[in-house]
Amino acid sequence: MKRINMFAAASVALLALSGCGTTSVFDRDRPDEFAVSRSKPLQLPTEFALPAPTPDAPRPQDSDTKQQVLDAMFGGAAPAPRPQSAQ
């Protein structure tokens, strides 16, 4: 029983100390927090070119979400094909 306890203690010590060393397997390049440089400040565009709002127009976010998904996936409502007459 004493041998099992010593083996368990040695295993725990080996496991605990294995985190202290490094090997080439787990080494990776980490960013250097002291080598960070400042970026240029943000600039506003000279012209936004947004369309003017129209009064009483429906808001796009108020429409049915399921219909928006179907329109995005399948291109919206397409005209139905004309049935061909039997000749």
Side-chain angles (χ1 to χ4, degrees):
M1 187 70 170
K2 186 171 181 139
R3 204 174 208 126
I4 292 174
N5 288 342
M6 290 200 42
F7 179 72
S11 297
V12 168
L14 183 65
L15 183 66
L17 291 175
S18 67
C20 296
T22 59
T23 61
S24 62
V25 175
F26 297 112
D27 284 345
R28 59 183 179 157
D29 294 330
R30 292 176 178 87
D32 185 9
E33 63 269 12
F34 298 109
V36 176
S37 63
R38 292 193 176 261
S39 59
K40 291 192 266 183
L42 295 177
Q43 295 179 349
L44 290 175
T46 57
E47 183 180 319
F48 287 107
L50 295 174
T54 56
D56 298 329
R59 295 173 52 139
Q61 63 266 30
D62 289 341
S63 65
D64 185 26
T65 307
K66 185 175 181 180
Q67 188 62 40
Q68 285 181 350
V69 170
L70 290 174
D71 290 345
M73 288 173 56
F74 301 112
R82 286 190 248 160
Q84 294 181 359
S85 60
Q87 291 179 8

